[in-house]
Amino acid sequence: MAKRNSAHAQKRRVAAKSFSFREMTAKQKRIAALIVAVCVVAIAAIVLVRADVFPHRDGSLNVRGGKAQGARENALVINVGSQAEPKYFEVAAVNGTMDGFTLTEYTVDKGDENITQFWYEADDAANEIYHYYLCGIPMSAEKTMRASATARRLISSDASTETPIPGEVRGAYDDGRAYCGYALLQQDAEADGGMWHRYLFLYTDAGENACVLMQVDSRAKTEAGLASEEALLAFAREAWKNVEILK
């Protein structure tokens, strides 16, 4: 019985027919071509997305090989993401320098070379304003001011004498953009020369969760030789005219 079934099965077997594109109907060829095209486009899209080529809808910079792409040389760049998953934004562009000052450092964050900051130093060492500094911060102006003031009080040491000038600094630039901040009086330890400093820190919102810091520093051998808080503020308001908020 088993032999009859085996013989019967062998008679029913048909040799496998080899595939031939030529024998496909026109409709089958169109469908096959469409499937191939879709696969090619899908693969290309995956490659491009992984290469971070497409513009980001939120305006953040593309990143390839760990480098932020397309950032302007004069832009302040921040990271609102994390080191593992960065998200870089240009928050402001600095379009000029105050007379008598030179950009001495185009600094970057030690942990992330894509984050940019600018340090301008007086050409004349006798200038009552020693330097001013600009950077972007991934936090609102109000929150940053509070956090900065709190941190400075916590890390204050016997190596310097810090006396916060009473009252917060608030106002608006000529372009109508509001700022908040504070001024700080500090004397270095004698081992560091005993120089006196008066700092002005101004924070200006650049979008919902970012701000730009402008720091102005006056230094002198005596407290009386320092620029006043009003003089620092007038300087900052003038320097701000070179700053363009991009967010």
Side-chain angles (χ1 to χ4, degrees):
M1 186 68 177
K3 290 183 178 180
R4 285 189 61 190
N5 289 342
S6 177
H8 181 68
Q10 288 179 2
K11 289 180 180 179
R12 294 182 59 187
R13 287 177 187 161
V14 178
K17 189 176 181 180
S18 60
F19 173 79
S20 175
F21 184 79
R22 293 181 179 180
E23 294 180 8
M24 293 176 66
T25 65
K27 183 177 181 180
Q28 289 175 325
K29 290 180 179 179
R30 288 197 298 270
I31 293 174
L34 180 60
I35 292 173
V36 171
V38 169
C39 290
V40 170
V41 171
I43 293 171
I46 292 172
V47 171
L48 291 174
V49 168
R50 289 185 176 179
D52 201 10
V53 172
F54 297 118
H56 297 173
R57 295 180 64 183
D58 61 2
S60 60
L61 299 173
N62 294 77
V63 180
R64 291 196 289 277
K67 302 286 187 180
Q69 305 295 309
R72 282 164 269 201
E73 290 185 1
N74 64 332
L76 296 174
V77 178
I78 63 171
N79 178 15
V80 303
S82 63
Q83 286 189 337
E85 296 183 1
K87 187 176 285 291
Y88 299 106
F89 285 92
E90 294 178 305
V91 292
V94 184
N95 299 317
T97 305
M98 291 289 285
D99 290 341
F101 288 79
T102 300
L103 176 63
T104 57
E105 289 186 44
Y106 174 86
T107 57
V108 295
D109 187 277
K110 292 181 179 179
D112 190 338
E113 62 180 11
N114 293 306
I115 298 174
T116 56
Q117 308 156 14
F118 301 104
W119 176 288
Y120 300 88
E121 195 163 315
D123 299 330
D124 184 355
N127 194 323
E128 65 176 4
I129 294 178
Y130 166 59
H131 86 270
Y132 70 104
Y133 165 82
L134 288 159
C135 73
I137 300 171
M139 192 161 56
S140 72
E142 192 72 30
K143 288 182 179 180
T144 302
M145 181 189 71
R146 299 295 182 192
S148 177
T150 299
R152 187 171 290 277
R153 286 195 296 270
L154 290 175
I155 65 175
S156 179
S157 66
D158 294 335
S160 64
T161 302
E162 297 185 354
T163 307
I165 296 175
E168 294 175 354
V169 180
R170 294 180 180 273
Y173 294 110
D174 294 344
D175 62 3
R177 192 173 290 270
Y179 58 76
C180 61
Y182 60 95
L184 182 72
L185 183 65
Q186 174 181 315
Q187 183 182 19
D188 294 337
E190 289 187 13
D192 296 325
M195 296 291 288
W196 283 84
H197 298 262
R198 177 169 283 130
Y199 297 99
L200 178 69
F201 301 86
L202 293 184
Y203 304 93
T204 307
D205 281 320
E208 294 183 3
N209 296 303
C211 69
V212 173
L213 161 64
M214 178 180 289
Q215 175 188 326
V216 185
D217 174 16
S218 174
R219 72 173 182 178
K221 293 181 178 180
T222 64
E223 181 181 352
L226 295 172
S228 66
E229 180 181 335
E230 292 74 19
L232 294 180
L233 183 56
F235 179 92
R237 291 176 62 90
E238 194 64 27
W240 181 260
K241 294 178 181 180
N242 295 321
V243 181
E244 175 190 0
I245 295 294
L246 301 176
K247 284 193 69 181

